[in-house]
Structure formats: C-alpha cells, structure tokens
Amino acid sequence: HYLYEKAYRTIEDMLTDKRPTDLKMANFHVDNCYFDGKNDSAAYVQEIKIIVKALKQMYDMHRPMAPSDNVARNYCIYSYFTEASHFNQYHTYLYDIRSMEQTKTVLEYGTVSHLLRTRMGTCTSLPMLYKILADETGAEAYIALAPMHSYIRHQDHTGEWWNFETTTGTFSRSSFIMENFHVTENAIRSGMYMTNLTEKETLVQCLYMLLCIYEFKTGFYSNAFVQKCYRLGLKYHYADAMHIWEINDLKYQLDKDAWNNGYQNHQEMCTSDQYRKQFEFITQKRKELEQLGFYAFTTEDYLKQYKAAMKYYKKQPETAKEE
C-alpha cells in the first residue's frame, strides 16, 4: 500500500503545484506499483537520458533542413520510434496487439518501464513515452484521447495539426479517428476526446493507470484510496475514465448499503426515497456523460478497428494532415 500512496502523493503534489511537473517520474512511481517496488529508478532514468542524448544528436543533423524548430524536434522523436537506425540500435518501438487479450499483459505493456526495456507497448505507454521525450527535449506535442485509445498531436510550421498514431507509426486524419472511434463533434467540443491534454490533464492519465493497477493487484475497486484517486483526477480533467470509476463506485456503495439494510433487488430499493434519489443521481451522471460524447468502446471493438486501421494505413500516403 505504501507504493500506491507514494505514487498518489507524487501526482497530487504535481497537480497542486507543490512540486514541478515531471511526467517521467510520475510514470515511474505508477509503474513501480505494477512491479511491486522492484523497478530500478536509476536504470529507468538512465535509459531516458540515453534516448534524449540520441534525439539531440538527431536534432543537430536535421534542424538545418527542417522548416521549424518544433518540426525538427518532433520529427526526431517520430524517427526514433519508427525508423531503424544506429540512434535506436536498429530497434523501433512496436505495438503488441496480443497484449489486448488479457488484463495482466495489457497493464504490463501499458507501463513506460516495460516499453523502455522491450520496445513493445500499447496505446497507453507509447504516447506517454513520446510525451515524456517531448518534454525532455523541448518539443511541443500533446497526448489526445479517443474512446479506449490515445495518440499524439503536434503542429507544423504552417499551423496544421498532425495526429501521430504511435501504435502504427503512421499519421491519421481526424475524420478517420472520428469515424472509427465513434467520436462526435459534441465530444470534441466538450474536451472529452481529440483535444490536446494539458500538463495536468496528462497527469490525470497517470492517476487512471494507477487505479487500473491498484484494482488488478489488490482486487479492490471501491474504497477510500480509489475514491480519493478519481476525485483528485476529476478536479483537473473531465476524463471519461475517471467518471466511469466514480459512477461504478457510487453504484457499488449504493447497492452495498441497500443490501445491508435488507433490500434484495432494485425494485425493493426504489421503495426507499433515500435509495431512489441516490439511484436517480447516478443515472443522471450517466446521462450527462453520454451527452458530453462518451462512447463505451469495448476491447472487441478496439481489436476490430485496429485491424481496419492497419488496412487503411497501408493504402495511404505517409503525409496525412488533420482535416
């Protein structure tokens, strides 16, 4: 439990400005919970330093030819991720679709630490490492979300935004993301999907990963620790995942209390004004979330769309600006 509290306090201190934001270390402490405190912080930091050094060497080579400083910096990270060269020891970063098939694998591959060691990751760890490297090298880039997915957005010298899919090593048109991940205009306007996450909103994604690891490792999905995590997260980002945690927790607490007081089912529970009002409150929160554009994407949906995406990308040119 000490490891989870330490990870929580680290993120809380960054969110409340008690310490400078350091996405690299926020992720380390979350990862350390998954690896039961056996993560080597020195090795973790050193690996990132090695990558940053390589990126700076690449930058020195490409900056004279690049149309802007930010284009050069983002190109170097993109190249390090996707193009085998002596800079990355001829070992690019890859997405392992098989990790989606079981909870343990998807969480392990979702850690930045595992990605650094194996160069294999998910749509959680790959964009997060990209963002860490962008922060470390001065590149301007942002994580953006779609239902059950995340990717990178950055701007070129003309002001155009590019959507980099770290899972496929390609660029996506916004229309493609909207269609295949069922993202509505309302979801974009509300800031739920396909918008640049701020520094603190990105830290909330670390909190979400912490909650997932906590539930997997301890079996607890509703207690004081869970509640303080999602409550802290919701102060800084109206994230769909945090709202789902809140709604599920409220429903569990309601059902538990009603059962302990002799109510055997929903019909009986609604004979009580107290429980009926609580249930209506939870129902209203679900409706509000849906109105803001939430879409309940399943693992099966994701796997289906990933395969469709791979077919699509093979037919597209490598340059695909946001529409």
Side-chain angles (χ1 to χ4, degrees):
H1 192 70
Y2 165 77
L3 294 173
Y4 295 99
E5 287 291 342
K6 186 173 183 179
Y8 173 85
R9 287 197 303 271
T10 297
I11 298 170
E12 181 185 40
D13 285 350
M14 292 178 187
L15 286 171
T16 56
D17 300 321
K18 292 180 181 177
R19 71 167 78 178
T21 297
D22 186 343
L23 193 59
K24 170 177 79 266
M25 295 314 298
N27 272 274
F28 170 80
H29 288 295
V30 172
D31 292 358
N32 204 30
C33 294
Y34 181 86
F35 295 106
D36 302 322
K38 297 175 182 177
N39 229 9
D40 187 334
S41 61
Y44 172 88
V45 171
Q46 181 60 26
E47 181 61 28
I48 291 176
K49 284 183 178 179
I50 290 171
I51 298 172
V52 169
K53 182 179 179 180
L55 290 173
K56 288 180 178 178
Q57 292 173 347
M58 295 170 71
Y59 171 80
D60 291 339
M61 290 175 55
H62 294 291
R63 179 60 187 99
M65 299 173 286
S68 74
D69 183 77
N70 196 51
V71 168
R73 294 186 188 281
N74 275 290
Y75 173 76
C76 290
I77 304 174
Y78 159 81
S79 179
Y80 192 91
F81 266 60
T82 63
E83 299 173 352
S85 70
H86 69 278
F87 290 110
N88 57 17
Q89 295 81 48
Y90 300 94
H91 195 172
T92 59
Y93 290 100
L94 299 173
Y95 175 59
D96 190 344
I97 189 64
R98 296 170 299 176
S99 66
M100 292 295 296
E101 297 174 359
Q102 52 182 319
T103 304
K104 179 178 179 180
T105 307
V106 74
L107 283 178
E108 183 173 351
Y109 278 62
T111 65
V112 173
S113 299
H114 181 84
L115 176 59
L116 288 171
R117 288 193 291 265
T118 67
R119 303 291 176 102
M120 300 289 290
T122 68
C123 66
T124 299
S125 55
L126 287 161
M128 188 61 74
L129 178 59
Y130 188 111
K131 176 59 177 168
I132 289 171
L133 296 175
D135 289 350
E136 295 289 316
T137 59
E140 184 180 356
Y142 304 90
I143 291 177
L145 305 176
M148 208 176 168
H149 185 56
S150 62
Y151 58 98
I152 290 292
R153 297 183 80 237
H154 60 78
Q155 203 170 26
D156 69 16
H157 61 292
T158 68
E160 297 286 348
W161 285 94
W162 295 69
N163 304 315
F164 175 49
E165 295 285 356
T166 53
T167 51
T168 59
T170 57
F171 292 89
S172 291
R173 296 188 183 277
S174 293
S175 57
F176 176 82
I177 297 173
M178 291 179 69
E179 179 181 353
N180 285 273
F181 287 93
H182 304 278
V183 178
T184 63
E185 293 282 357
N186 196 37
I188 299 174
R189 284 194 298 269
S190 71
M192 184 167 290
Y193 301 130
M194 295 183 68
T195 57
N196 300 343
L197 296 187
T198 65
E199 191 175 73
K200 291 188 177 182
E201 288 171 347
T202 304
L203 286 171
V204 173
Q205 292 301 300
C206 298
L207 266 180
Y208 172 64
M209 186 64 170
L210 180 63
L211 277 171
C212 292
I213 292 171
Y214 182 78
E215 179 185 8
F216 173 70
K217 288 284 189 174
T218 70
F220 292 112
Y221 52 87
S222 176
N223 61 17
F225 181 78
V226 169
Q227 290 159 5
K228 74 177 183 179
C229 281
Y230 72 66
R231 286 169 182 166
L232 176 65
L234 287 171
K235 288 181 181 179
Y236 295 94
H237 187 213
Y238 204 88
D240 63 344
M242 286 300 180
H243 275 280
I244 295 302
W245 272 99
E246 179 189 36
I247 290 169
N248 289 343
D249 178 60
L250 291 173
K251 182 63 167 60
Y252 171 78
Q253 294 296 336
L254 172 61
D255 290 345
K256 179 182 176 182
D257 189 53
W259 178 268
N260 289 338
N261 283 285
Y263 295 89
Q264 302 296 311
N265 53 52
H266 174 69
Q267 186 175 2
E268 289 184 15
M269 183 182 71
C270 285
T271 61
S272 162
D273 288 340
Q274 174 190 348
Y275 292 137
R276 186 178 67 255
K277 289 179 180 178
Q278 289 182 44
F279 183 78
E280 289 172 352
F281 174 75
I282 295 170
T283 301
Q284 183 59 34
K285 289 189 79 69
R286 285 200 182 102
K287 289 181 180 178
E288 290 173 359
L289 190 60
E290 290 172 358
Q291 289 169 357
L292 288 171
F294 170 73
Y295 182 81
F297 219 61
T298 66
T299 300
E300 290 73 22
D301 291 334
Y302 184 84
L303 292 172
K304 180 179 178 181
Q305 294 304 329
Y306 177 80
K307 292 175 182 178
M310 290 306 294
K311 291 181 181 179
Y312 169 84
Y313 292 134
K314 289 177 181 179
K315 298 178 183 178
Q316 303 302 311
E318 292 186 1
T319 55
K321 277 181 282 191
E322 176 179 323
E323 292 178 329

